[in-house]
Amino acid sequence: MSTETALQTTLQTDVAVIGAGTAGLAAYRAAKAAGKRAVIIEGGEYGTTCARVGCMPSKLLIAAAEAAHELRHTGPFGVHVDGQIRIEGREVMDRVRRERDRFVGFVVRGVEKIPEQDRIRGYARFIDNTVLEVGGHTLVRASRVVIATGSSPAVPEPFRVFGDRLIVNDDVFAWEDLPRSVAVFGPGVIGLELGQALSRLGVRVRVFGVRGGVGPLTDPAIRDYAAGTFREEFHLDPDAKVSRMQREGDEAVITFLDREGNTVTERFDYVLAATGRTPNVRGLGLENTGLELDKRGVPVFDAATLQCGSSPVFIAGDANDVLPLLHEAADEGKAAGENAASWPQVRPLARRAPLGIVFSDPQIAMVGQRYADLETGSFVIGEVSFEDQGRSRVMLKNRGLMHVYADRSSGRFLGAEWTGPRAENIAHLLAWAYQQGLTIEAMLAMPFYHPVVEEGLRTALRDALAKLSA
Ligand SMILES: Cc1cc2nc3c(=O)[nH]c(=O)nc-3n(C[C@H](O)[C@H](O)[C@H](O)COP(=O)(O)OP(=O)(O)OC[C@H]3O[C@@H](n4cnc5c(N)ncnc54)[C@H](O)[C@@H]3O)c2cc1C
């Protein structure tokens, strides 16, 4: 029996979008707005990774952690909270899940507004370049396809030894109570955010890394400063030497060298693998297409047009792993949907200024070009420490170090990496300046109110200008 006759339904459409996450929904809407027939296929639950297990629940957990942290640090202001601070894990997780479900609800209601005939439930698999089999019940014959299947936590095989004590970010947001202890592997964005939040909520946390990385930072001075700052608060070893991992009873048992070189064995309720994410391409049947695949099995594509080779297949969002961030997924999805609709005419996506924020405390931010990508000798570094920065000190948030990079010949602002207070806000100012192609001089001609944390940025810009003039 042919695939077609074995399936109950066959559909013909212009654009088939695989995945109803942020990128997929944007792609579907763009294709429809361009006047095309389109369908959106979802194998998992509606609600998007961002709302369900990503950006939103992680920020909810962080908000609870910040409340606990602030309460513990009122003393230096002469404000004393008498009695013990009590963290009720069940209440913490109840609010995280309740608010999370509210955000998911908004997304789901949006999806439900999509005409029913355009929504297909089930996992899609390519039969060839533009024919998809969905959930064993539907055959979709499309003229173009957008892959927007997102990404999943990549868990290294040796961690499997922990069995059901091994968790990923998704599991944290399903907890009904806080555990006593968690070993976090991977001090990247997710590991840092969740590790610090859990620690502030009274969970015994150890964060282990490899090769010294801290968040997405590439500037060694900022990375070392950030590591030192976090280490004052919770155990963080970005270059950990773990010699043994095993499961004993209901616990994960880890043997490692502590920073003094002593061999330590500790037991944990859970091991959180925050060891990176991998594009969801397994099981997509890409081997049935004529698409060229890279060594991870991801179709080779043009990062500007999102087109896979010269085919009518496009790939957007975390699935292509260019910039696994929410606003990038939305932009890429829209561009992929538009290009799929107008194929074979395609247009490059006008990318916004690179912008990344880690919601740790102090926050970490990166704007524009990364330090690691700049050519040695072609730029100067303007620096500011937030330790003596006026407003930061007033608020007792005076931990931080910022580097701004400026092009030696043109004086243009190239990028910045830093950790410090209110970084999420300063990052936006800098991203806007970068996108406008401003020089350091032009940025310094902008207003700075007093007393604000942004005056710290002005100090770094002045330092850069002085170095440019020298
Ligand atoms: C813990 C965490 C915190 C984060 N915090 C932030 C943050 O603060 N800021 C930020 O910008 N970004 C953050 N991110 C990243 C952000 O969430 C992602 O970049 C974004 O959600 C990716 O959207 P997407 O549309 O590519 O994927 P998704 O939203 O994951 O959508 C992919 C969809 O495809 C479906 N699918 C997969 N395979 C198939 C198939 N074969 N057939 C049918 N359907 C399929 C999946 O079920 C899923 O619904 C965070 C991520 C995590 C995990």
Side-chain angles (χ1 to χ4, degrees):
M1 204 164 24
S2 74
T3 312
E4 189 142 6
T5 49
L7 300 169
Q8 295 156 16
T9 316
T10 299
L11 278 173
Q12 200 83 38
T13 192
D14 298 321
V15 180
V17 179
I18 312 175
T22 303
L25 286 166
Y28 166 82
R29 289 180 177 129
K32 290 293 272 194
K36 297 291 175 194
R37 291 176 301 167
V39 295
I40 184 157
I41 305 162
E42 175 54 58
E45 286 181 281
Y46 287 139
T48 74
T49 289
C50 170
R52 206 174 269 289
V53 290
C55 331
M56 300 315 282
S58 57
K59 267 79 259 177
L60 284 160
L61 193 75
I62 289 167
E66 272 174 7
H69 183 78
E70 295 299 323
L71 263 186
R72 286 192 197 102
H73 292 88
T74 61
F77 296 104
V79 176
H80 299 280
V81 181
D82 291 328
Q84 228 189 339
I85 294 165
R86 193 165 49 86
I87 295 166
E88 287 293 344
R90 286 193 168 272
E91 290 175 34
V92 169
M93 292 316 299
D94 181 58
R95 176 171 191 265
V96 168
R97 283 182 293 114
R98 238 179 326 109
E99 287 296 309
R100 182 273 307 269
D101 291 348
R102 208 172 137 267
F103 291 121
V104 169
F106 295 138
V107 182
V108 172
R109 281 196 287 285
V111 174
E112 283 167 357
K113 288 201 180 108
I114 294 173
E116 213 176 326
Q117 67 273 16
D118 289 359
R119 284 185 271 138
I120 308 175
R121 297 309 302 265
Y123 282 95
R125 210 169 56 85
F126 282 88
I127 304 290
D128 69 28
N129 272 12
T130 52
V131 180
L132 305 169
E133 182 258 278
V134 184
H137 51 71
T138 303
L139 193 75
V140 178
R141 294 185 169 280
S143 320
R144 301 93 175 193
V145 178
V146 177
I147 302 170
T149 48
S151 62
S152 303
V155 181
E157 209 41 47
F159 288 95
R160 302 279 172 206
V161 70
F162 297 121
D164 67 359
R165 298 286 103 186
L166 173 67
I167 54 165
V168 294
N169 58 287
D170 304 29
D171 304 304
V172 170
F173 308 123
W175 281 342
E176 296 197 345
D177 200 352
L178 289 168
R180 287 164 307 165
S181 54
V182 178
V184 179
F185 279 84
V189 180
I190 295 174
L192 265 187
E193 288 189 357
L194 296 183
Q196 185 179 40
L198 291 173
S199 160
R200 287 183 166 188
L201 288 166
V203 178
R204 176 168 55 84
V205 168
R206 280 193 184 262
V207 182
F208 300 103
V210 284
R211 291 184 292 278
V214 178
L217 292 166
T218 72
D219 186 321
I222 308 294
R223 194 182 54 208
D224 292 350
Y225 185 95
T229 306
F230 294 127
R231 221 179 271 129
E232 286 169 17
E233 194 184 317
F234 55 92
H235 173 98
L236 163 67
D237 187 349
D239 194 14
K241 305 280 177 290
V242 173
S243 53
R244 201 148 147 259
M245 307 199 292
Q246 66 189 110
R247 164 86 180 245
E248 272 180 30
D250 262 353
E251 289 176 317
V253 183
I254 298 170
T255 303
F256 57 95
L257 280 187
D258 70 9
R259 292 186 51 79
E260 286 72 47
N262 307 310
T263 301
V264 178
T265 297
E266 255 184 47
R267 313 173 84 82
F268 298 90
D269 289 339
Y270 291 106
V271 171
L272 170 64
T275 36
R277 294 179 68 85
T278 187
N280 289 332
V281 288
R282 280 223 338 245
L284 256 186
L286 285 163
E287 62 284 1
N288 301 328
T289 66
L291 303 176
E292 187 191 343
L293 306 180
D294 69 15
K295 58 178 186 302
R296 294 170 311 164
V298 178
V300 175
F301 69 102
D302 178 339
T305 62
L306 307 165
Q307 187 180 12
C308 303
S310 57
S311 76
V313 180
F314 298 81
I315 183 163
D318 280 17
N320 70 28
D321 205 20
V322 175
L323 289 161
L325 296 169
L326 190 275
H327 66 281
E328 298 285 351
D331 284 352
E332 288 187 2
K334 181 167 181 284
E338 285 169 355
N339 279 341
S342 64
W343 181 83
Q345 264 74 53
V346 293
R347 281 197 316 188
L349 156 66
R351 290 205 182 257
R352 296 170 211 253
L355 167 63
I357 297 164
V358 184
F359 293 86
S360 51
D361 179 21
Q363 294 181 333
I364 291 173
M366 297 180 51
V367 169
Q369 297 175 51
R370 303 177 330 151
Y371 171 86
D373 298 332
L374 296 170
E375 194 189 320
T376 315
S378 70
F379 66 100
V380 299
I381 300 179
E383 181 178 282
V384 67
S385 159
F386 285 91
E387 291 182 8
D388 277 326
Q389 201 277 321
R391 185 66 189 285
S392 307
R393 252 194 114 83
V394 165
M395 300 183 298
L396 279 178
K397 298 275 180 205
N398 52 324
R399 286 312 303 264
L401 182 68
M402 171 183 241
H403 278 177
V404 297
Y405 315 120
D407 184 64
R408 231 180 236 290
S409 50
S410 66
R412 258 192 51 214
F413 168 62
L414 296 175
E417 295 193 17
W418 76 105
T419 175
R422 310 251 160 114
E424 67 180 270
N425 305 112
I426 296 175
H428 281 82
L429 289 184
L430 287 182
W432 292 17
Y434 180 85
Q435 196 160 316
Q436 295 295 315
L438 297 189
T439 61
I440 300 291
E441 213 169 354
M443 290 161 79
L444 280 167
M446 301 287 180
F448 289 85
Y449 204 76
H450 176 74
V452 292
V453 177
E454 284 74 4
E455 288 174 302
L457 164 64
R458 184 175 58 189
T459 305
L461 293 174
R462 281 178 176 163
D463 187 36
L465 189 65
K467 286 171 179 157
L468 285 171
S469 311

